Amino acid sequence: LSQLRKILSQVKGKDPEESARLREASALVDSMLAAVHRRSESEAQLLFERVHIVQAYLRGYLARKAFVQIKSNSILPKRLVQEIIDTETSYVEYLRILLKLVDNLKDVLNKDELTMLCPNIHEIYMCNTELLRRLKLYREEVWSHHNEKNFLGRIFSDMADYLKVYGEFFNYFDQVYASRLAAGNPEFDRAVQRFNAQEDVAPLTLDSILPKPFQRLLQYPIMLERLVKETPRTHIEYEHLAKAYGSIGRLANDLNERKRSVEEKRAVLRVQASINTKFNLVEPSRVLKREAIVTRWHPKREKSLMLKVYLFNDIIVLATPSKTGGRDHSRPTSTTSL
């Protein structure tokens, strides 16, 4: 009875009716305790016949507490879910703007240039528009408890195969190429300026908008990881979230690794094309680590000479910069194995 009284003293009624039941149960337990202390068996017997009042209250209280816990566990952290939906909404809007920009550049760039600038952007836009639709439907159904079997993790798992369309973008997109394309084409720059002047489009730059698809795909594993960490293992969605985090994370890592490999090959090809040498730089395992311009003192000419240094993972190439803006010169003796 003392332990029961201690439990009741820690309970607070959430409404007048529950508070009245709590007072009645507490008063009954107090009376039982008093009867026991007075060693009044007859009075205690009469009071214990009414113990069902206390039992009924505690059963109801525990049931309501369990229901609140179950209800709270059926909803993922709203702050993180809303962040995913808000950022996805902004991203899809960026894609829409990028599509309009591509349409405006069709008269300025040829098909190959457009492909290098914005690879398969239409497919990416359709994929993420569908993802955003499912995310909004999830928020509408789950948060209102209309359909609590619509799992966020399952949405990302189902969309993982469709997100593979980013593979072409990762393979072809080259930020350096895009910047050079803009710098060497006045019509391109004027087309972008005209596009920015449209009333329904906020000012943008190529450096800010073109890498968005690349950045967004790498954000998904980070957001899902945060959700997994803040979701109890007993939560109904935990396994679906963990599975989605694994599949999306592997996809992002594979595409990122593929992009890194493509960029490494592009760098070797660029150096091979920029220097005048018969030495073959293009090898499957060769990677350009760094390049720089240095000065070297020439004792016979008694002056400093400029050199371009290309540091690969297995050789060093020294080249003399071209004075005419053409290909740099590299002598056979300037190639040293590491």
Side-chain angles (χ1 to χ4, degrees):
L1 285 174
S2 298
Q3 291 177 349
L4 188 58
R5 184 67 185 89
K6 185 178 180 179
I7 294 173
L8 290 173
S9 66
Q10 296 173 352
V11 177
K12 295 182 179 180
K14 294 185 176 296
D15 54 60
E17 184 179 352
E18 184 175 355
S19 297
R21 291 198 301 269
L22 175 60
R23 287 194 298 270
E24 182 181 6
S26 299
L28 182 58
V29 172
D30 288 340
S31 300
M32 291 179 187
L33 279 171
V36 170
H37 290 315
R38 289 195 300 270
R39 297 178 181 272
S40 176
E41 294 185 10
S42 58
E43 184 181 357
Q45 183 63 34
L46 291 173
L47 290 171
F48 272 102
E49 289 178 358
R50 299 176 59 197
V51 76
H52 64 86
I53 296 176
V54 181
Q55 294 174 332
Y57 174 78
L58 287 177
R59 281 197 298 267
Y61 168 75
L62 294 175
R64 287 190 295 274
K65 186 177 180 180
F67 174 75
V68 170
Q69 184 66 29
I70 293 172
K71 186 176 180 181
S72 63
N73 281 345
S74 66
I75 300 177
L76 292 173
K78 287 188 175 182
R79 171 179 52 84
L80 296 181
V81 174
Q82 189 61 49
E83 180 183 339
I84 293 175
I85 296 175
D86 288 344
T87 54
E88 189 68 19
T89 302
S90 300
Y91 173 60
V92 171
E93 177 62 16
Y94 269 112
L95 291 178
R96 185 190 67 81
I97 294 174
L98 196 53
L99 277 174
K100 292 186 67 174
L101 176 61
V102 171
D103 289 337
N104 279 262
L105 293 175
K106 286 182 177 179
D107 296 333
V108 180
L109 303 178
N110 59 43
K111 186 176 180 180
D112 292 337
E113 290 172 332
L114 282 174
T115 300
M116 289 294 293
L117 187 66
C118 299
N120 72 320
I121 196 65
H122 288 84
E123 290 84 355
I124 292 175
Y125 176 73
M126 289 188 293
C127 176
N128 284 88
T129 299
E130 173 61 18
L131 175 59
L132 180 59
R133 184 191 70 81
R134 293 191 181 190
L135 290 174
K136 288 182 175 179
L137 182 63
Y138 168 86
R139 179 178 59 185
E140 177 184 344
E141 291 185 348
V142 175
W143 288 6
S144 60
H145 300 283
H146 291 319
N147 181 8
E148 297 183 2
K149 293 186 178 181
N150 186 358
F151 300 137
L152 184 68
R154 187 178 294 170
I155 292 174
F156 278 98
S157 295
D158 291 344
M159 292 298 297
D161 285 339
Y162 294 95
L163 290 173
K164 290 179 181 178
V165 298
Y166 278 80
E168 184 175 346
F169 185 91
F170 274 56
N171 286 342
Y172 285 98
F173 176 71
D174 187 348
Q175 182 72 42
V176 176
Y177 173 82
S179 300
R180 290 177 179 173
L181 189 65
N185 192 337
E187 283 295 324
F188 181 92
D189 187 52
R190 284 193 287 269
V192 174
Q193 291 180 5
R194 288 194 300 270
F195 181 73
N196 283 334
Q198 297 181 23
E199 296 182 0
D200 61 335
V201 176
L204 57 89
T205 62
L206 289 177
D207 290 340
S208 65
I209 195 171
L210 288 180
K212 287 291 182 182
F214 174 77
Q215 296 167 355
R216 184 59 180 174
L217 188 68
L218 299 183
Q219 288 173 352
Y220 290 136
I222 298 174
M223 293 186 292
L224 287 172
E225 182 182 21
R226 290 172 59 195
L227 262 177
V228 170
K229 287 182 177 180
E230 295 196 23
T231 302
R233 289 182 174 271
T234 56
H235 195 286
I236 192 172
E237 285 209 47
Y238 182 84
E239 290 186 5
H240 296 283
L241 284 174
K243 180 180 178 181
Y245 169 58
S247 58
I248 297 296
R250 285 191 297 271
L251 173 63
N253 288 335
D254 290 345
L255 294 182
N256 197 28
E257 181 64 23
R258 189 186 307 175
K259 178 175 176 60
R260 186 187 64 80
S261 177
V262 169
E263 288 178 344
E264 288 175 350
K265 298 299 184 291
R266 283 177 181 165
V268 176
L269 291 171
R270 174 178 57 80
V271 175
Q272 179 75 76
S274 66
I275 61 177
N276 185 16
T277 181
K278 295 181 180 180
F279 183 80
N280 182 28
L281 295 176
V282 181
E283 295 290 344
S285 60
R286 183 159 293 153
V287 177
L288 178 64
K289 294 295 185 179
R290 190 170 182 180
E291 57 184 290
I293 297 178
V294 300
T295 57
R296 183 184 67 171
W297 177 255
H298 198 291
K300 292 183 179 181
R301 298 183 184 181
E302 295 186 349
K303 64 177 183 179
S304 297
L305 298 178
M306 294 184 62
L307 289 175
K308 278 191 175 180
V309 180
Y310 299 96
L311 175 62
F312 294 87
N313 61 320
D314 58 343
I315 61 171
I316 297 176
V317 177
L318 303 179
T320 304
S322 172
K323 296 180 180 179
T324 61
R327 301 175 72 186
D328 298 329
H329 297 282
S330 174
R331 298 181 301 278
T333 56
S334 62
T335 303
T336 304
S337 298
L338 298 179

